[in-house]
Amino acid sequence: MPQNMDSTTEEPTTESIPTTPALERRPLLKALGIGAAVSLGSGLAAGERDNDEIHPNYGYPVQNPSDIPESLQPNHEVQLAGAESAPEPGMPVSLFFFDPIGLHVNSGDIVQFTFNTPDHTVTAYHEAIGFQQRVPAEAPPFSSPIVTQGGAWLYRFDHEGVYDLYCGPHHILGMVMRVVVGDVAEDEYPDYLETPEEIPPFGEEFENLLVQFSDETENVEWVFPTPREIFTTSALDPARIQDEGPVPYSAVRDELADPRAETTTTQ
Ligand SMILES: [Cu+2]
């Protein structure tokens, strides 16, 4: 009996040898990329894109505007621009800006944002991104990546209303813009147009900080236009954007340079 037991336990150990090639097949499958092919077939993995779809959160970046497919040809274009000359005395110091800075589009229109200068984003004011939501309630939080210089980013504006946007790297320097989607009558204006105090002032914040940390900065003056100042110009009034079409950056800059010019006409 013990001999039989020994022979039965010995047999499987000798017979188990043929199973080793089966185990070695796994690295081979991996090397051939067969595992990867299976997951690709199950749909788009996170971060990949369908070539004809503008992602609701991340839009559609291209390294070169000539790479934009025929089905995504834009209806409008906005430049992400930088100042070409030194600012004149008395003018706000606008180093980077959207141009046009006010735009009227139809619901479903595609806007191409062209990165003429480096290091920008196109980002929605949204609670999920850390600011008061200043896009329609149905709009998701969205942002472009930092697209390479000369590239572009597409976004489709699907919801009627007012979209306030900013550039992440240059928000503090007043790089913001407004898009009005569809026909928005004055009695349909969103509540956030009534709360400009929720828009970062930056200037006041930084003046206060600088004074706190050094006596030498007591008389410091913030020379950049603040997002709050820009959004409250009459040039970016949603009715005016709808009536007059694209608002060039220069309209806002000129208004900020001499605010009395706007008020004297009404007095
Ligand atoms: Cu920027």
Side-chain angles (χ1 to χ4, degrees), residues 113-133:
F113 296 87
T114 307
F115 286 61
N116 285 335
T117 51
D119 193 22
H120 301 288
T121 69
V122 182
T123 305
Y125 277 91
H126 198 289
E127 273 186 359
I129 304 179
F131 293 99
Q132 179 198 31
Q133 181 160 342

Side-chain angles (χ1 to χ4, degrees), residues 228-253:
R228 187 186 294 173
E229 283 171 342
I230 291 173
F231 281 124
T232 50
T233 57
S234 65
L236 288 187
D237 183 285
R240 197 157 155 186
I241 292 173
Q242 292 176 80
D243 290 344
E244 297 177 20
V247 178
Y249 180 73
S250 58
V252 167
R253 185 198 55 202

Side-chain angles (χ1 to χ4, degrees), residues 80 96 119-121 167-170 175:
L80 279 64
F96 301 100
D119 193 22
H120 301 288
T121 69
C167 163
H170 304 125
M175 185 167 176

